[in-house]
Each structure stands twice: as C-alpha cells, then as structure tokens.
Amino acid sequence: ICDVTFIKVQGNTYYLCVIIDLFSHILKDRNHRTIYNDYDELKSAISKHIEFYNDYRPHETLNDMSPNEFEQIYHDEKKELSENSGLTG
C-alpha cells in the first residue's frame, strides 16, 4: 500500500505513489541495469513500457485483457445500453 503523497511537477500535481508504482513495473519488466544515455532515451523507454502495459500486457484482474481492451469493452457495452434504453451520452 502506498501512502498518497502529492508532488508538483511543472505546475501539475501528481500522486507520488502512482509514479513509484509505474517505475516499479518498469524495473520489474526491464533490465535493472539499463543505463540511458540521455533524457530522450529514458523518455522513449518509459513511453514504450506504458504502451506495452496498456495495449498488450494481459492483466489477470481484467480477465486477461489489456487495460485498453477492457476499457473499450466497457465503453462499447455502456454505449449499447444507452442506445437500447433510448438515452444518449
């Protein structure tokens, strides 16, 4: 369990525990000894990891779907229910 701690990054407030959780996943999924030569290389590695995590990596708690697959099904079902009930939104 992560204590909820707020940090300010360039005027935006973030939950520190979310950032820590993200990096813990990156460290588990990637080689701990990776050395990035510059900020752009690190940024690219993080972006690739987030894309993999959200688009491709199955999550047991989401019935072995990726978060994006799960979210798409949720929105499709919500839209279908709305259309069937005559509601919009």
Side-chain angles (χ1 to χ4, degrees):
I1 296 175
C2 179
D3 291 330
V4 178
T5 305
F6 295 97
I7 61 169
K8 283 276 211 181
V9 178
Q10 295 179 355
N12 296 314
T13 303
Y14 293 95
Y15 289 99
L16 181 57
C17 62
V18 173
I19 295 169
I20 290 170
D21 187 55
L22 168 66
F23 283 101
S24 72
H25 285 288
I26 291 172
L27 290 175
K28 278 189 242 174
D29 293 344
R30 298 184 56 85
N31 183 345
H32 286 60
R33 296 187 178 106
T34 301
I35 296 174
Y36 300 100
N37 296 313
D38 56 34
Y39 175 75
D40 289 332
E41 200 174 302
L42 172 62
K43 187 176 171 182
S44 175
I46 291 170
S47 293
K48 287 177 184 175
H49 178 80
I50 291 170
E51 178 183 358
F52 167 74
Y53 188 86
N54 288 325
D55 293 341
Y56 304 105
R57 183 178 179 270
H59 295 252
E60 188 175 332
T61 58
L62 302 176
N63 297 322
D64 291 323
M65 291 185 274
S66 73
N68 286 346
E69 288 174 309
F70 188 83
E71 185 176 18
Q72 185 61 51
I73 289 170
Y74 167 80
H75 288 295
D76 290 348
E77 289 175 354
K78 185 177 174 184
K79 182 179 179 184
E80 185 178 322
L81 285 172
S82 176
E83 289 171 353
N84 290 340
S85 67
L87 300 175
T88 58

